[in-house]
Amino acid sequence: SPSPVPSSPCVNLGSGISAISVSPAGNLIVAGGRDVLQIVSVHATDPVTLELFRNMRPGKRNKKYTNLTSSASDVRWHLTDEHYFAAAATNSAVVLWNLNSTRVQEQVWTAHERSVNRVCWQPKEPSVLLSASQDGTVRVWDTRQETERLTITAGASESVRDIDFSPFNNHQFAAAYENGNVLIWDLRRPKGHEQRITAHESYVFAIAWHPDQRGVLATGGRDCMVKVWDTLRPSIPIHTIQTVSSVSRVSWRPGYANQIATASQPAMPVDCDVHVWDLTRPFVPVMTFTGHRAAATGVEWGMKQFNKHVFTCSKDGTVISHHVSKSVKPYQHLSVQPIDWNVDESVYAVFGHVNRDYDPNEITPPTIVPSSPRSAPRVMVGMEAPAPVAATRPIIPPHSTDIQRMVFRGCVRAEDDDAGLDLKLVKFFGEQYVLDSSTHKLDYCCSCNAKTAASVGKRTVAHTWLMLSHLFDAVDVKQNIENGEPSQPDSPLNSPTQFLNTELLNATQDTDEALIGDDLWVWPLYPEKVEEQQPIQSTPEDMLTLNEFLDQEAVALVNELLEYYAEKSDVQMCCSIVILLKDRMTFDPLRVHQWFASYLDILLQLKLWDIACELIGFSPDESVRNMNTMATTLHLGCGRCSKPLGADPPMATHKYNCEYCTQPYNQCLVL
């Protein structure tokens, strides 16, 4: 759910922000997005204040700079010169801006063929700039030249999502790709990469070299993981952090060798906060910065007199300055007495102690070494917890040993509605749900969806669909009476409880009866008791009074249901409800866009292309419906062994046999 209104210093730029960058002196911040490119000044008052300094998109007053070169997907301030910053434009251009020049766009390079994702300055040679693009290339620019100095490509590789220069080697940089790989390159040998790291299962969105530890690289991906690698021995990560959502940005904290900040991917805004993790305590963030109402898209540590501040930006259009002393500390709210039943009806529990006085701002020695696993002892109720095992690392997190003693051996019910999003069920529901309200009535769609949910034991979901069907059927009765049409004697309004139980029992007659049992209760929608099989004998005036209550309660109930499923990260249920009720009530457009973007991302992971296309067409959000008009990439491969064909099609090279299986190509070449 969205974070509360920020209490920290904040400035609203009026449009979604994709990235920010702090100037070398620390007193200026450049913020860029699709419709915004502005400079924010930072004043060293108590507390720190932010205010707009300069708008780099003058708008109608100067149409020269209102083109797409003023739209930025990434911005990066020059490392030494306060007057220059580079921007990755959304129209595939790389722009060098000069604040002291009347021609603010000093250089515009347009060699990329698709949008540019990241730009990065070389630390030791201030005139060299890198850019990473969706076209799969990394280009090297010199601010003194009008054309690119070098083009680096990994053959038929995926799009490049992020790049970062090594602080210890002027010629070495790392590049993150959509296929989950991280390639390390040397500018002196651009024909081939020096090293390949299979970092993540899917897209790698962010990378960052450690500023103080040679060869240490952090990566963040769509698999909700942050991994720290020793590039000298990259077989396995030396540290792993599990997050709650995809990671779009990673940033090492200056002066704190073990701490790293993360931000979530805007396409899956499960978490709108920025978290700071300690490698010695990777299970719970040591600091959390709240305040944004949409996914945080950038995080920058303050410099010089602002070294105790963190600057964050978001798709909600705000830039916030956070002081580390005012951060939320999740470890202070940990439960220290976990308890659970075992399958043999015994109870297991742990009685431990959490040091809630731990100070995350205390500088600790670096611990970039692999951690050795420790056994987790089982402790019976009433027993004292054993003494902590001797540490093999320099710093032992104050609560990690207690957390590792939480051994849950409880039995699992046939249905667990709080178990999170099951991808198998997502695929099943996506294929079976009836969501086309233009060809089917609402009660039919809800009844079919309820039977689908009940067939796999999802009773809470089945109850939700039947309740929506019954609730809005009552509202339809009101409209019929107002139009002079009599209500049907066999309407489900006659006995809500019987209707729901009968429908659900019929839907589950082919399933395990233990899933229903005596604990299946559905509360009636009305406080008064209604006679079974008796039609409602009411005048239009009486029904109008009753249904005025239903109209208000229906909207409130649907909003509560959406909040309930959103908190459980069940974006599939949220999108399904919105699709069926989009003609009957209005929804928050920002929340709807977030749900549909997250659901589409899951469907694409599962390769459910047809369902994703149907979802785009059903969406009430215009920006989602326009996704089908965007560019489409076709990957060609051998129809026999599914290996990629490479950069050149077979007809261009006059090759008719696959290089891998040596068999002739067949007619199906699109993977």
Side-chain angles (χ1 to χ4, degrees):
S1 59
S3 301
V5 176
S7 58
S8 301
C10 172
V11 60
N12 194 328
L13 303 185
S15 183
I17 305 173
S18 300
I20 58 173
S21 181
V22 180
S23 66
N27 61 336
L28 294 177
I29 300 174
V30 57
R34 184 176 182 84
D35 301 313
V36 61
L37 186 61
Q38 298 192 33
I39 308 296
V40 178
S41 61
V42 184
H43 299 286
T45 57
D46 189 16
V48 168
T49 57
L50 304 177
E51 66 176 5
L52 298 180
F53 176 73
R54 183 174 179 179
N55 185 6
M56 308 304 294
R57 292 170 55 99
K60 295 182 179 180
R61 293 175 298 176
N62 191 344
K63 295 184 179 180
K64 180 179 179 181
Y65 302 118
T66 58
N67 54 28
L68 290 178
T69 57
S70 300
S71 301
S73 57
D74 189 37
V75 289
R76 193 58 48 192
W77 214 291
H78 197 276
L79 299 179
T80 58
D81 197 327
E82 289 277 338
H83 308 117
Y84 288 94
F85 70 87
T90 57
N91 65 341
S92 74
V94 178
V95 185
L96 178 65
W97 295 80
N98 187 350
L99 301 183
N100 280 356
S101 174
T102 56
R103 182 189 176 188
V104 289
Q105 292 184 350
E106 185 161 308
Q107 289 279 11
V108 179
W109 297 294
T110 58
H112 283 294
E113 299 178 357
R114 297 182 63 184
S115 60
V116 183
N117 294 322
R118 291 286 193 274
V119 289
C120 177
W121 293 98
Q122 190 182 47
K124 301 298 176 62
E125 191 173 347
S127 62
V128 176
L129 177 70
L130 282 183
S131 62
S133 170
Q134 282 290 114
D135 60 11
T137 64
V138 176
R139 298 182 185 268
V140 184
W141 312 92
D142 194 316
T143 57
R144 299 163 295 187
Q145 302 176 6
E146 295 184 357
T147 59
E148 75 271 18
R149 198 167 89 177
L150 186 64
T151 300
I152 298 175
T153 179
S157 64
E158 298 286 340
S159 302
V160 189
R161 285 287 185 165
D162 198 4
I163 49 176
D164 192 26
F165 263 113
S166 170
F168 297 94
N169 188 334
N170 298 341
H171 306 284
Q172 187 182 66
F173 71 92
Y177 293 82
E178 288 187 351
N179 57 6
N181 291 332
V182 173
L183 302 184
I184 299 178
W185 299 83
D186 192 308
L187 294 178
R188 297 165 296 185
R189 292 177 290 274
K191 293 185 178 180
H193 56 270
E194 287 189 331
Q195 193 172 4
R196 178 193 299 270
I197 301 176
T198 305
H200 295 268
E201 297 178 357
S202 185
Y203 292 7
V204 183
F205 288 128
I207 55 177
W209 289 98
H210 198 289
D212 303 317
Q213 300 291 317
R214 179 182 292 272
V216 175
L217 180 69
T219 64
R222 193 168 69 173
D223 55 2
C224 305
M225 302 286 285
V226 175
K227 299 181 180 180
V228 180
W229 306 85
D230 183 356
T231 57
L232 302 179
R233 295 177 296 273
S235 57
I236 59 174
I238 55 179
H239 287 283
T240 301
I241 299 174
Q242 178 73 57
T243 62
V244 298
S245 59
S246 299
V247 181
S248 64
R249 298 276 183 173
V250 292
S251 178
W252 293 98
R253 184 181 181 185
Y256 294 79
N258 301 327
Q259 296 186 13
I260 187 171
T262 63
S264 300
Q265 173 68 12
M268 300 188 66
V270 179
D271 186 7
C272 301
D273 302 329
V274 172
H275 303 285
V276 179
W277 306 82
D278 194 316
L279 299 181
T280 63
R281 46 191 304 131
F283 306 105
V284 180
V286 295
M287 289 186 291
T288 296
F289 301 104
T290 63
H292 290 297
R293 294 181 174 272
T297 54
V299 52
E300 288 283 320
W301 294 97
M303 299 182 182
K304 296 185 178 180
Q305 70 268 35
F306 305 107
N307 59 352
K308 294 294 184 181
H309 290 79
V310 181
F311 302 100
T312 62
C313 65
S314 169
K315 284 296 183 181
D316 60 8
T318 59
V319 177
I320 304 179
S321 172
H322 309 270
H323 196 281
V324 294
S325 63
K326 298 181 180 180
S327 63
V328 178
K329 299 176 177 57
Y331 62 86
Q332 292 185 346
H333 308 282
L334 288 175
S335 173
V336 297
Q337 294 180 348
I339 185 172
D340 196 27
W341 287 94
N342 196 0
V343 292
D344 59 359
E345 299 185 356
S346 61
V347 178
Y348 284 72
V350 172
F351 298 92
H353 171 70
V354 173
N355 179 12
R356 303 189 190 277
D357 297 328
Y358 167 76
D359 183 10
N361 297 312
E362 179 182 354
I363 299 180
T364 57
T367 172
I368 311 298
V369 293
S371 58
S372 59
R374 295 190 296 272
S375 60
R378 294 186 292 181
V379 185
M380 294 299 295
V381 171
M383 295 178 59
E384 289 291 335
V389 181
T392 59
R393 293 182 290 176
I395 301 299
I396 294 299
H399 67 267
S400 65
T401 53
D402 294 323
I403 286 183
Q404 292 181 15
R405 292 196 191 102
M406 296 184 191
V407 181
F408 293 96
R409 305 288 186 183
C411 57
V412 181
R413 290 173 56 90
E415 174 202 5
D416 185 4
D417 282 329
D418 294 324
L421 202 60
D422 189 339
L423 294 182
K424 293 182 179 179
L425 288 180
V426 169
K427 182 177 180 180
F428 175 75
F429 288 153
E431 295 172 344
Q432 300 297 326
Y433 271 174
V434 180
L435 302 178
D436 191 357
S437 58
S438 62
T439 57
H440 302 288
K441 292 184 178 180
L442 176 63
D443 58 346
Y444 174 81
C445 296
C446 293
S447 299
C448 292
N449 297 341
K451 292 180 180 179
T452 300
S455 66
V456 292
K458 287 300 212 180
R459 295 176 297 172
T460 303
V461 178
H463 281 177
T464 300
W465 286 117
L466 291 177
M467 182 169 56
L468 290 175
S469 172
H470 183 71
L471 184 63
F472 282 92
D473 186 61
V475 177
D476 292 341
V477 170
K478 168 191 170 182
Q479 297 176 353
N480 294 337
I481 292 179
E482 290 177 346
N483 297 331
E485 302 176 7
S487 60
Q488 298 297 327
D490 58 347
S491 171
L493 281 172
N494 299 331
S495 181
T497 307
Q498 181 186 17
F499 169 75
L500 293 177
N501 283 292
T502 302
E503 288 293 322
L504 190 56
L505 287 171
N506 292 338
T508 57
Q509 60 185 355
D510 297 331
T511 61
D512 188 356
E513 296 181 357
L515 297 179
I516 307 300
D518 297 332
D519 61 341
L520 177 58
W521 294 99
V522 181
W523 292 97
L525 297 177
Y526 312 119
E528 63 271 19
K529 182 178 179 181
V530 185
E531 293 291 333
E532 295 185 3
Q533 303 299 330
Q534 295 295 327
I536 297 178
Q537 303 296 334
S538 302
T539 63
E541 292 77 10
D542 295 335
M543 285 298 296
L544 183 60
T545 302
L546 175 63
N547 284 282
E548 285 177 350
F549 166 78
L550 280 177
D551 286 339
Q552 300 174 359
E553 290 299 312
V555 174
L557 180 59
V558 171
N559 289 329
E560 290 181 5
L561 288 172
L562 291 175
E563 289 295 331
Y564 169 75
Y565 285 106
E567 290 179 358
K568 294 174 55 179
S569 302
D570 192 349
V571 291
Q572 183 182 43
M573 192 65 180
C574 294
C575 293
S576 301
I577 294 175
V578 170
I579 290 173
L580 288 179
L581 301 182
K582 62 182 178 182
D583 298 329
R584 297 172 177 263
M585 57 183 292
T586 58
F587 303 93
D588 183 1
L590 178 61
R591 302 293 301 279
V592 170
H593 179 80
Q594 294 173 350
W595 292 334
F596 273 83
S598 301
Y599 187 23
L600 284 172
D601 191 72
I602 296 174
L603 293 177
L604 295 180
Q605 291 185 51
L606 298 176
K607 299 182 179 181
L608 301 176
W609 321 116
D610 295 340
I611 300 176
C613 289
E614 291 181 358
L615 183 72
I616 292 174
F618 288 148
S619 172
D621 184 43
E622 184 178 0
S623 62
V624 176
R625 293 198 303 271
N626 292 336
M627 287 183 178
N628 276 339
T629 63
M630 301 172 65
T632 302
T633 301
L634 297 179
H635 298 278
L636 299 181
C638 176
R640 302 180 186 276
C641 65
S642 300
K643 296 294 184 180
L645 297 184
D648 299 324
M651 297 303 297
T653 58
H654 302 286
K655 296 179 180 179
Y656 300 97
N657 292 339
C658 176
E659 297 179 357
Y660 297 93
C661 65
T662 68
Q663 297 296 320
Y665 293 116
N666 60 7
Q667 296 180 355
C668 183
L669 297 177
V670 180
L671 295 180

